Amino acid sequence: MTSLFDPVKLGDLELSNRIVMAPMTRSRAGDGDVPTDLNVEYYRQRATAGLIVSEGTQPSANGKGYCRTPGIHTPAQIAGWRKVTDAVHAGGGKIVLQIMHCGRIGVNHNKDADAETVAPSAVRAAGQMFTDTAGMQDFDVPRALETAEIPALIAEFGQATGNAMEAGFDGVELHAASGYLPMQFLSTGTNKRTDAYGGSAKNRVRAVVEMLDAMAKAAGAGRVGIRICPGVSFNDIQDDDPAETYATLLKAIGPMGLAYVHLILLKTPQVDGLAVVKANYSGNLILNDSVTLERGNAMVDTGEAAAVSFARHFLANPDLVRRFREGAELARFDRKTLYTPGAAGYTDYPFINE
Ligand SMILES: Cc1cc2nc3c(=O)[nH]c(=O)nc-3n(C[C@H](O)[C@H](O)[C@H](O)COP(=O)(O)O)c2cc1C
């Protein structure tokens, strides 16, 4: 019988257990979007995870959406992350960087003065975002990228991956879920392009495949993963036929030999994400969303998943692996401090026997 406590190899990533810390934006980066000693401590505390997927991290100034999110595009950011990866490795853990380009999900108040909000098409997302300087603000109307600009956009993902490897990460994960830039290319509601990057499903998956290619060239395919959630409507994203879109994407990336696909489980009347993945992808799967210890063990025992990721439990329980192992009670997370600066609700969740 295989359990979450057994080791597993995902591509070139060797995990000591199958309990993955899911990516979580915590909005606590320092000036210049540089990871700080507080961030080092947060990840150090959670190093017993088989794998940590970092918070979403912008590959470029344009890719920043939310306030106080870290980047991986300046020397200071790379140096800041190096302290994080050293701490996780010293604790026996592994960590990959989640590359998150927010695309149209952004407002200029949160960005550097010379950065802009860009997307596949000039379609504004309904809704608002919090800013430190001006409170809640409507999302920007994004500028549609010219065809001639796409190679530079793709190159951002390769460069960010190279920077992540320089910072000591074990690999990288492309955030292609939750309505951010890669998903904006995939989805018909946000991709109105008439060039080779829009229209048919084959064209809409092209940018994401090229991003993964650029990332694989920089890190090796066995150190690259992708996160998806077919059919999700978060951030006002909409696709006419997610089953077709993701079947096309998964068939295209199958031969690349990526480390894993990280699937946020969602079943809607429109699409059953797990069914689409199973039918079109035979590589390693990390499954996520509200999974219990019992369900997670069953998922790896049946081979449905290679590993399972936990977000909110890891947020509130830095020693989640030990608590699972000992059947200990789990602490609950505090919603009020999810995105607030400082140590409160970040590095002060206790370990058991503390
Ligand atoms: C505070 C918070 C921040 C999150 N930020 C990210 C993120 O940066 N990237 C991402 O892919 N998912 C993000 N998520 C989603 C989680 O990774 C996960 O999919 C979700 O919480 C469901 O898993 P859970 O039931 O184990 O919490 C975030 C979730 C939370 C609670």
Side-chain angles (χ1 to χ4, degrees), residues 27-44:
S27 288
R28 282 165 169 91
D31 289 346
D33 305 333
V34 173
T36 66
D37 290 347
L38 185 66
N39 307 135
V40 174
E41 177 61 10
Y42 168 75
Y43 285 108
R44 188 193 63 73

Side-chain angles (χ1 to χ4, degrees), residues 67-78:
C67 41
R68 289 173 266 109
T69 54
I72 188 73
H73 54 92
T74 71
Q77 292 163 357
I78 296 169

Side-chain angles (χ1 to χ4, degrees), residues 55-140:
E55 63 208 275
T57 299
Q58 56 266 14
S60 62
N62 285 357
K64 186 178 182 189
Y66 302 93
C67 41
R68 289 173 266 109
T69 54
I72 188 73
H73 54 92
T74 71
Q77 292 163 357
I78 296 169
W81 278 120
R82 166 55 82 172
K83 293 189 198 162
V84 171
T85 62
D86 282 349
V88 170
H89 291 149
K94 296 275 161 70
I95 179 166
V96 298
L97 180 79
Q98 188 185 56
I99 301 181
M100 169 163 114
H101 190 309
C102 291
R104 71 176 189 151
I105 302 302
V107 294
N108 57 35
H109 300 73
N110 284 341
K111 295 182 194 250
D112 293 348
D114 56 351
E116 58 175 341
T117 300
V118 294
S121 302
V123 183
R124 196 184 81 82
Q128 294 193 318
M129 174 181 276
F130 177 77
T131 72
D132 278 333
T133 51
M136 296 303 289
Q137 291 288 319
D138 287 351
F139 289 122
D140 288 344

